[in-house]
PDB file of all heavy atoms in Angstrom:
ATOM      1  N   ILE A 529      18.491  10.318  -7.173  1.00 88.00           N
ATOM      2  CA  ILE A 529      18.569   8.848  -7.205  1.00 88.00           C
ATOM      3  C   ILE A 529      18.993   8.361  -8.583  1.00 88.00           C
ATOM      4  O   ILE A 529      19.865   7.485  -8.709  1.00 88.00           O
ATOM      5  CB  ILE A 529      17.213   8.246  -6.798  1.00 88.00           C
ATOM      6  CG1 ILE A 529      16.933   8.524  -5.314  1.00 88.00           C
ATOM      7  CG2 ILE A 529      17.185   6.746  -7.077  1.00 88.00           C
ATOM      8  CD1 ILE A 529      15.552   8.098  -4.871  1.00 88.00           C
ATOM      9  N   ARG A 530      18.379   8.928  -9.634  1.00 88.00           N
ATOM     10  CA  ARG A 530      18.733   8.501 -10.993  1.00 88.00           C
ATOM     11  C   ARG A 530      20.192   8.812 -11.316  1.00 88.00           C
ATOM     12  O   ARG A 530      20.852   8.052 -12.026  1.00 88.00           O
ATOM     13  CB  ARG A 530      17.807   9.171 -12.004  1.00 88.00           C
ATOM     14  CG  ARG A 530      16.402   8.611 -12.041  1.00 88.00           C
ATOM     15  CD  ARG A 530      15.654   9.076 -13.278  1.00 88.00           C
ATOM     16  NE  ARG A 530      15.406  10.501 -13.249  1.00 88.00           N
ATOM     17  CZ  ARG A 530      14.292  11.053 -12.797  1.00 88.00           C
ATOM     18  NH1 ARG A 530      13.318  10.294 -12.333  1.00 88.00           N
ATOM     19  NH2 ARG A 530      14.134  12.371 -12.815  1.00 88.00           N
ATOM     20  N   ALA A 531      20.689   9.931 -10.784  1.00 87.00           N
ATOM     21  CA  ALA A 531      22.072  10.325 -11.070  1.00 87.00           C
ATOM     22  C   ALA A 531      23.066   9.704 -10.105  1.00 87.00           C
ATOM     23  O   ALA A 531      24.281   9.851 -10.286  1.00 87.00           O
ATOM     24  CB  ALA A 531      22.194  11.849 -11.025  1.00 87.00           C
ATOM     25  N   GLY A 532      22.567   9.017  -9.080  1.00 85.00           N
ATOM     26  CA  GLY A 532      23.468   8.444  -8.088  1.00 85.00           C
ATOM     27  C   GLY A 532      24.218   9.513  -7.323  1.00 85.00           C
ATOM     28  O   GLY A 532      25.382   9.315  -6.936  1.00 85.00           O
ATOM     29  N   ALA A 533      23.579  10.651  -7.088  1.00 83.00           N
ATOM     30  CA  ALA A 533      24.256  11.784  -6.447  1.00 83.00           C
ATOM     31  C   ALA A 533      23.403  12.302  -5.300  1.00 83.00           C
ATOM     32  O   ALA A 533      22.988  13.465  -5.275  1.00 83.00           O
ATOM     33  CB  ALA A 533      24.507  12.888  -7.469  1.00 83.00           C
ATOM     34  N   SER A 534      23.127  11.450  -4.326  1.00 77.00           N
ATOM     35  CA  SER A 534      22.304  11.876  -3.200  1.00 77.00           C
ATOM     36  C   SER A 534      22.975  12.958  -2.369  1.00 77.00           C
ATOM     37  O   SER A 534      22.300  13.730  -1.681  1.00 77.00           O
ATOM     38  CB  SER A 534      21.981  10.672  -2.314  1.00 77.00           C
ATOM     39  OG  SER A 534      23.179  10.055  -1.860  1.00 77.00           O
ATOM     40  N   ASP A 535      24.312  13.049  -2.455  1.00 80.00           N
ATOM     41  CA  ASP A 535      25.010  14.087  -1.686  1.00 80.00           C
ATOM     42  C   ASP A 535      24.880  15.457  -2.340  1.00 80.00           C
ATOM     43  O   ASP A 535      25.337  16.461  -1.775  1.00 80.00           O
ATOM     44  CB  ASP A 535      26.483  13.729  -1.515  1.00 80.00           C
ATOM     45  CG  ASP A 535      27.183  13.479  -2.847  1.00 80.00           C
ATOM     46  OD1 ASP A 535      26.474  13.337  -3.868  1.00 80.00           O
ATOM     47  OD2 ASP A 535      28.420  13.410  -2.858  1.00 80.00           O
ATOM     48  N   ALA A 536      24.263  15.512  -3.526  1.00 81.00           N
ATOM     49  CA  ALA A 536      24.127  16.787  -4.232  1.00 81.00           C
ATOM     50  C   ALA A 536      22.799  17.471  -3.950  1.00 81.00           C
ATOM     51  O   ALA A 536      22.488  18.503  -4.551  1.00 81.00           O
ATOM     52  CB  ALA A 536      24.270  16.566  -5.738  1.00 81.00           C
ATOM     53  N   LEU A 537      21.984  16.934  -3.039  1.00 85.00           N
ATOM     54  CA  LEU A 537      20.709  17.549  -2.719  1.00 85.00           C
ATOM     55  C   LEU A 537      20.933  18.905  -2.052  1.00 85.00           C
ATOM     56  O   LEU A 537      21.896  19.094  -1.303  1.00 85.00           O
ATOM     57  CB  LEU A 537      19.907  16.641  -1.784  1.00 85.00           C
ATOM     58  CG  LEU A 537      19.359  15.350  -2.405  1.00 85.00           C
ATOM     59  CD1 LEU A 537      18.802  14.434  -1.332  1.00 85.00           C
ATOM     60  CD2 LEU A 537      18.275  15.679  -3.435  1.00 85.00           C
ATOM     61  N   PRO A 538      20.062  19.866  -2.305  1.00 88.00           N
ATOM     62  CA  PRO A 538      20.209  21.190  -1.680  1.00 88.00           C
ATOM     63  C   PRO A 538      20.208  21.087  -0.163  1.00 88.00           C
ATOM     64  O   PRO A 538      19.497  20.241   0.412  1.00 88.00           O
ATOM     65  CB  PRO A 538      18.979  21.960  -2.185  1.00 88.00           C
ATOM     66  CG  PRO A 538      18.549  21.243  -3.406  1.00 88.00           C
ATOM     67  CD  PRO A 538      18.897  19.805  -3.207  1.00 88.00           C
ATOM     68  N   PRO A 539      20.983  21.907   0.517  1.00 86.00           N
ATOM     69  CA  PRO A 539      21.059  21.820   1.983  1.00 86.00           C
ATOM     70  C   PRO A 539      19.751  22.150   2.681  1.00 86.00           C
ATOM     71  O   PRO A 539      19.543  21.733   3.823  1.00 86.00           O
ATOM     72  CB  PRO A 539      22.152  22.841   2.331  1.00 86.00           C
ATOM     73  CG  PRO A 539      22.237  23.755   1.151  1.00 86.00           C
ATOM     74  CD  PRO A 539      21.902  22.925  -0.025  1.00 86.00           C
ATOM     75  N   ASP A 540      18.853  22.889   2.018  1.00 84.00           N
ATOM     76  CA  ASP A 540      17.592  23.243   2.655  1.00 84.00           C
ATOM     77  C   ASP A 540      16.514  22.179   2.481  1.00 84.00           C
ATOM     78  O   ASP A 540      15.388  22.344   2.952  1.00 84.00           O
ATOM     79  CB  ASP A 540      17.076  24.579   2.100  1.00 84.00           C
ATOM     80  CG  ASP A 540      16.724  24.481   0.614  1.00 84.00           C
ATOM     81  OD1 ASP A 540      17.305  23.621  -0.080  1.00 84.00           O
ATOM     82  OD2 ASP A 540      15.881  25.280   0.150  1.00 84.00           O
ATOM     83  N   LEU A 541      16.857  21.077   1.813  1.00 88.00           N
ATOM     84  CA  LEU A 541      15.863  20.034   1.558  1.00 88.00           C
ATOM     85  C   LEU A 541      15.696  19.160   2.799  1.00 88.00           C
ATOM     86  O   LEU A 541      16.671  18.624   3.329  1.00 88.00           O
ATOM     87  CB  LEU A 541      16.292  19.170   0.366  1.00 88.00           C
ATOM     88  CG  LEU A 541      15.247  18.158  -0.100  1.00 88.00           C
ATOM     89  CD1 LEU A 541      14.174  18.864  -0.917  1.00 88.00           C
ATOM     90  CD2 LEU A 541      15.881  17.056  -0.919  1.00 88.00           C
ATOM     91  N   ASP A 542      14.477  19.022   3.248  1.00 87.00           N
ATOM     92  CA  ASP A 542      14.172  18.166   4.396  1.00 87.00           C
ATOM     93  C   ASP A 542      14.127  16.722   3.920  1.00 87.00           C
ATOM     94  O   ASP A 542      13.252  16.334   3.154  1.00 87.00           O
ATOM     95  CB  ASP A 542      12.829  18.581   4.999  1.00 87.00           C
ATOM     96  CG  ASP A 542      12.484  17.781   6.246  1.00 87.00           C
ATOM     97  OD1 ASP A 542      13.313  16.958   6.683  1.00 87.00           O
ATOM     98  OD2 ASP A 542      11.375  17.980   6.786  1.00 87.00           O
ATOM     99  N   THR A 543      15.088  15.910   4.366  1.00 87.00           N
ATOM    100  CA  THR A 543      15.175  14.520   3.902  1.00 87.00           C
ATOM    101  C   THR A 543      14.313  13.569   4.727  1.00 87.00           C
ATOM    102  O   THR A 543      14.291  12.368   4.465  1.00 87.00           O
ATOM    103  CB  THR A 543      16.635  14.043   3.936  1.00 87.00           C
ATOM    104  OG1 THR A 543      17.147  14.196   5.266  1.00 87.00           O
ATOM    105  CG2 THR A 543      17.485  14.841   2.961  1.00 87.00           C
ATOM    106  N   ALA A 544      13.625  14.091   5.735  1.00 92.00           N
ATOM    107  CA  ALA A 544      12.742  13.237   6.525  1.00 92.00           C
ATOM    108  C   ALA A 544      11.545  12.793   5.688  1.00 92.00           C
ATOM    109  O   ALA A 544      11.211  13.395   4.669  1.00 92.00           O
ATOM    110  CB  ALA A 544      12.258  13.999   7.767  1.00 92.00           C
ATOM    111  N   GLU A 545      10.898  11.706   6.116  1.00 95.00           N
ATOM    112  CA  GLU A 545       9.646  11.285   5.486  1.00 95.00           C
ATOM    113  C   GLU A 545       8.615  12.402   5.644  1.00 95.00           C
ATOM    114  O   GLU A 545       8.545  13.059   6.693  1.00 95.00           O
ATOM    115  CB  GLU A 545       9.120  10.008   6.138  1.00 95.00           C
ATOM    116  CG  GLU A 545      10.017   8.802   5.981  1.00 95.00           C
ATOM    117  CD  GLU A 545       9.842   8.111   4.645  1.00 95.00           C
ATOM    118  OE1 GLU A 545       8.692   7.900   4.226  1.00 95.00           O
ATOM    119  OE2 GLU A 545      10.861   7.779   4.034  1.00 95.00           O
ATOM    120  N   GLN A 546       7.812  12.627   4.613  1.00 96.00           N
ATOM    121  CA  GLN A 546       6.846  13.719   4.609  1.00 96.00           C
ATOM    122  C   GLN A 546       5.431  13.154   4.503  1.00 96.00           C
ATOM    123  O   GLN A 546       5.168  12.270   3.683  1.00 96.00           O
ATOM    124  CB  GLN A 546       7.093  14.662   3.417  1.00 96.00           C
ATOM    125  CG  GLN A 546       8.525  15.144   3.269  1.00 96.00           C
ATOM    126  CD  GLN A 546       8.915  16.173   4.297  1.00 96.00           C
ATOM    127  OE1 GLN A 546       8.178  17.139   4.524  1.00 96.00           O
ATOM    128  NE2 GLN A 546      10.058  15.981   4.937  1.00 96.00           N
ATOM    129  N   LEU A 547       4.532  13.660   5.340  1.00 97.00           N
ATOM    130  CA  LEU A 547       3.122  13.298   5.272  1.00 97.00           C
ATOM    131  C   LEU A 547       2.317  14.553   4.979  1.00 97.00           C
ATOM    132  O   LEU A 547       2.455  15.566   5.677  1.00 97.00           O
ATOM    133  CB  LEU A 547       2.649  12.677   6.584  1.00 97.00           C
ATOM    134  CG  LEU A 547       1.149  12.320   6.634  1.00 97.00           C
ATOM    135  CD1 LEU A 547       0.864  11.127   5.735  1.00 97.00           C
ATOM    136  CD2 LEU A 547       0.711  12.026   8.061  1.00 97.00           C
ATOM    137  N   LEU A 548       1.478  14.489   3.968  1.00 98.00           N
ATOM    138  CA  LEU A 548       0.600  15.606   3.628  1.00 98.00           C
ATOM    139  C   LEU A 548      -0.837  15.221   3.957  1.00 98.00           C
ATOM    140  O   LEU A 548      -1.394  14.303   3.355  1.00 98.00           O
ATOM    141  CB  LEU A 548       0.717  15.961   2.145  1.00 98.00           C
ATOM    142  CG  LEU A 548      -0.275  17.021   1.633  1.00 98.00           C
ATOM    143  CD1 LEU A 548      -0.113  18.336   2.390  1.00 98.00           C
ATOM    144  CD2 LEU A 548      -0.106  17.231   0.133  1.00 98.00           C
ATOM    145  N   ILE A 549      -1.432  15.919   4.917  1.00 98.00           N
ATOM    146  CA  ILE A 549      -2.848  15.736   5.243  1.00 98.00           C
ATOM    147  C   ILE A 549      -3.649  16.747   4.432  1.00 98.00           C
ATOM    148  O   ILE A 549      -3.396  17.952   4.507  1.00 98.00           O
ATOM    149  CB  ILE A 549      -3.107  15.949   6.745  1.00 98.00           C
ATOM    150  CG1 ILE A 549      -2.241  15.000   7.587  1.00 98.00           C
ATOM    151  CG2 ILE A 549      -4.578  15.743   7.066  1.00 98.00           C
ATOM    152  CD1 ILE A 549      -2.386  15.223   9.088  1.00 98.00           C
ATOM    153  N   VAL A 550      -4.592  16.246   3.647  1.00 97.00           N
ATOM    154  CA  VAL A 550      -5.434  17.109   2.816  1.00 97.00           C
ATOM    155  C   VAL A 550      -6.867  16.979   3.300  1.00 97.00           C
ATOM    156  O   VAL A 550      -7.451  15.892   3.259  1.00 97.00           O
ATOM    157  CB  VAL A 550      -5.338  16.729   1.325  1.00 97.00           C
ATOM    158  CG1 VAL A 550      -6.251  17.619   0.492  1.00 97.00           C
ATOM    159  CG2 VAL A 550      -3.903  16.838   0.837  1.00 97.00           C
ATOM    160  N   ASN A 551      -7.432  18.088   3.772  1.00 96.00           N
ATOM    161  CA  ASN A 551      -8.812  18.082   4.245  1.00 96.00           C
ATOM    162  C   ASN A 551      -9.742  18.721   3.214  1.00 96.00           C
ATOM    163  O   ASN A 551      -9.372  19.668   2.522  1.00 96.00           O
ATOM    164  CB  ASN A 551      -8.924  18.850   5.569  1.00 96.00           C
ATOM    165  CG  ASN A 551     -10.346  18.840   6.114  1.00 96.00           C
ATOM    166  OD1 ASN A 551     -10.993  17.801   6.145  1.00 96.00           O
ATOM    167  ND2 ASN A 551     -10.834  19.992   6.541  1.00 96.00           N
ATOM    168  N   ASP A 552     -10.935  18.167   3.125  1.00 91.00           N
ATOM    169  CA  ASP A 552     -12.021  18.777   2.337  1.00 91.00           C
ATOM    170  C   ASP A 552     -11.685  18.894   0.849  1.00 91.00           C
ATOM    171  O   ASP A 552     -12.099  19.842   0.185  1.00 91.00           O
ATOM    172  CB  ASP A 552     -12.346  20.162   2.906  1.00 91.00           C
ATOM    173  CG  ASP A 552     -13.783  20.576   2.593  1.00 91.00           C
ATOM    174  OD1 ASP A 552     -14.587  19.692   2.261  1.00 91.00           O
ATOM    175  OD2 ASP A 552     -14.072  21.782   2.670  1.00 91.00           O
ATOM    176  N   PHE A 553     -10.936  17.912   0.317  1.00 92.00           N
ATOM    177  CA  PHE A 553     -10.656  17.897  -1.126  1.00 92.00           C
ATOM    178  C   PHE A 553     -11.976  17.704  -1.875  1.00 92.00           C
ATOM    179  O   PHE A 553     -12.828  16.933  -1.444  1.00 92.00           O
ATOM    180  CB  PHE A 553      -9.679  16.756  -1.422  1.00 92.00           C
ATOM    181  CG  PHE A 553      -9.359  16.564  -2.868  1.00 92.00           C
ATOM    182  CD1 PHE A 553      -8.453  17.393  -3.501  1.00 92.00           C
ATOM    183  CD2 PHE A 553      -9.970  15.560  -3.610  1.00 92.00           C
ATOM    184  CE1 PHE A 553      -8.154  17.214  -4.838  1.00 92.00           C
ATOM    185  CE2 PHE A 553      -9.677  15.378  -4.942  1.00 92.00           C
ATOM    186  CZ  PHE A 553      -8.761  16.214  -5.559  1.00 92.00           C
ATOM    187  N   PRO A 554     -12.200  18.406  -3.008  1.00 91.00           N
ATOM    188  CA  PRO A 554     -11.285  19.244  -3.797  1.00 91.00           C
ATOM    189  C   PRO A 554     -11.440  20.747  -3.546  1.00 91.00           C
ATOM    190  O   PRO A 554     -11.026  21.546  -4.369  1.00 91.00           O
ATOM    191  CB  PRO A 554     -11.688  18.900  -5.222  1.00 91.00           C
ATOM    192  CG  PRO A 554     -13.172  18.711  -5.137  1.00 91.00           C
ATOM    193  CD  PRO A 554     -13.431  18.101  -3.788  1.00 91.00           C
ATOM    194  N   HIS A 555     -12.056  21.138  -2.428  1.00 91.00           N
ATOM    195  CA  HIS A 555     -12.225  22.564  -2.157  1.00 91.00           C
ATOM    196  C   HIS A 555     -10.862  23.257  -2.138  1.00 91.00           C
ATOM    197  O   HIS A 555      -9.925  22.808  -1.480  1.00 91.00           O
ATOM    198  CB  HIS A 555     -12.917  22.758  -0.800  1.00 91.00           C
ATOM    199  CG  HIS A 555     -13.172  24.192  -0.458  1.00 91.00           C
ATOM    200  ND1 HIS A 555     -14.234  24.896  -0.970  1.00 91.00           N
ATOM    201  CD2 HIS A 555     -12.487  25.059   0.329  1.00 91.00           C
ATOM    202  CE1 HIS A 555     -14.212  26.123  -0.498  1.00 91.00           C
ATOM    203  NE2 HIS A 555     -13.160  26.255   0.291  1.00 91.00           N
ATOM    204  N   GLY A 556     -10.744  24.358  -2.884  1.00 91.00           N
ATOM    205  CA  GLY A 556      -9.503  25.115  -2.930  1.00 91.00           C
ATOM    206  C   GLY A 556      -8.489  24.605  -3.928  1.00 91.00           C
ATOM    207  O   GLY A 556      -7.387  25.158  -4.028  1.00 91.00           O
ATOM    208  N   PHE A 557      -8.829  23.557  -4.702  1.00 93.00           N
ATOM    209  CA  PHE A 557      -7.905  22.971  -5.675  1.00 93.00           C
ATOM    210  C   PHE A 557      -8.331  23.365  -7.088  1.00 93.00           C
ATOM    211  O   PHE A 557      -9.468  23.092  -7.498  1.00 93.00           O
ATOM    212  CB  PHE A 557      -7.898  21.442  -5.566  1.00 93.00           C
ATOM    213  CG  PHE A 557      -7.062  20.912  -4.434  1.00 93.00           C
ATOM    214  CD1 PHE A 557      -7.466  21.068  -3.117  1.00 93.00           C
ATOM    215  CD2 PHE A 557      -5.867  20.261  -4.686  1.00 93.00           C
ATOM    216  CE1 PHE A 557      -6.709  20.580  -2.080  1.00 93.00           C
ATOM    217  CE2 PHE A 557      -5.104  19.766  -3.652  1.00 93.00           C
ATOM    218  CZ  PHE A 557      -5.519  19.932  -2.339  1.00 93.00           C
ATOM    219  N   ASP A 558      -7.406  23.981  -7.844  1.00 93.00           N
ATOM    220  CA  ASP A 558      -7.651  24.192  -9.266  1.00 93.00           C
ATOM    221  C   ASP A 558      -7.089  23.003 -10.034  1.00 93.00           C
ATOM    222  O   ASP A 558      -6.568  22.044  -9.445  1.00 93.00           O
ATOM    223  CB  ASP A 558      -7.038  25.516  -9.737  1.00 93.00           C
ATOM    224  CG  ASP A 558      -5.544  25.618  -9.451  1.00 93.00           C
ATOM    225  OD1 ASP A 558      -4.891  24.555  -9.252  1.00 93.00           O
ATOM    226  OD2 ASP A 558      -5.015  26.752  -9.421  1.00 93.00           O
ATOM    227  N   ASP A 559      -7.187  23.050 -11.341  1.00 92.00           N
ATOM    228  CA  ASP A 559      -6.749  21.906 -12.151  1.00 92.00           C
ATOM    229  C   ASP A 559      -5.266  21.607 -11.946  1.00 92.00           C
ATOM    230  O   ASP A 559      -4.855  20.437 -11.905  1.00 92.00           O
ATOM    231  CB  ASP A 559      -7.031  22.172 -13.632  1.00 92.00           C
ATOM    232  CG  ASP A 559      -8.522  22.137 -13.950  1.00 92.00           C
ATOM    233  OD1 ASP A 559      -9.286  21.648 -13.097  1.00 92.00           O
ATOM    234  OD2 ASP A 559      -8.905  22.598 -15.040  1.00 92.00           O
ATOM    235  N   ARG A 560      -4.460  22.655 -11.840  1.00 94.00           N
ATOM    236  CA  ARG A 560      -3.021  22.442 -11.654  1.00 94.00           C
ATOM    237  C   ARG A 560      -2.748  21.779 -10.298  1.00 94.00           C
ATOM    238  O   ARG A 560      -1.921  20.856 -10.208  1.00 94.00           O
ATOM    239  CB  ARG A 560      -2.271  23.767 -11.741  1.00 94.00           C
ATOM    240  CG  ARG A 560      -0.749  23.633 -11.645  1.00 94.00           C
ATOM    241  CD  ARG A 560      -0.066  24.967 -11.950  1.00 94.00           C
ATOM    242  NE  ARG A 560       1.377  24.820 -11.995  1.00 94.00           N
ATOM    243  CZ  ARG A 560       2.170  24.901 -10.931  1.00 94.00           C
ATOM    244  NH1 ARG A 560       1.641  25.151  -9.749  1.00 94.00           N
ATOM    245  NH2 ARG A 560       3.471  24.744 -11.048  1.00 94.00           N
ATOM    246  N   ALA A 561      -3.462  22.203  -9.272  1.00 95.00           N
ATOM    247  CA  ALA A 561      -3.273  21.606  -7.953  1.00 95.00           C
ATOM    248  C   ALA A 561      -3.716  20.143  -7.947  1.00 95.00           C
ATOM    249  O   ALA A 561      -3.070  19.294  -7.309  1.00 95.00           O
ATOM    250  CB  ALA A 561      -4.048  22.406  -6.911  1.00 95.00           C
ATOM    251  N   VAL A 562      -4.800  19.829  -8.657  1.00 94.00           N
ATOM    252  CA  VAL A 562      -5.253  18.441  -8.748  1.00 94.00           C
ATOM    253  C   VAL A 562      -4.194  17.588  -9.437  1.00 94.00           C
ATOM    254  O   VAL A 562      -3.897  16.458  -9.012  1.00 94.00           O
ATOM    255  CB  VAL A 562      -6.595  18.356  -9.498  1.00 94.00           C
ATOM    256  CG1 VAL A 562      -6.947  16.907  -9.824  1.00 94.00           C
ATOM    257  CG2 VAL A 562      -7.703  18.985  -8.661  1.00 94.00           C
TER     258      VAL A 562
END
Side-chain angles (χ1 to χ4, degrees):
I529 292 174
R530 286 194 293 266
S534 58
D535 55 347
L537 290 170
D540 65 334
L541 187 78
D542 183 4
T543 57
E545 297 278 314
Q546 309 286 312
L547 177 71
L548 173 59
I549 303 176
V550 178
N551 181 46
D552 205 18
F553 177 79
H555 182 80
F557 280 71
D558 56 20
D559 289 346
R560 184 171 186 273
V562 169

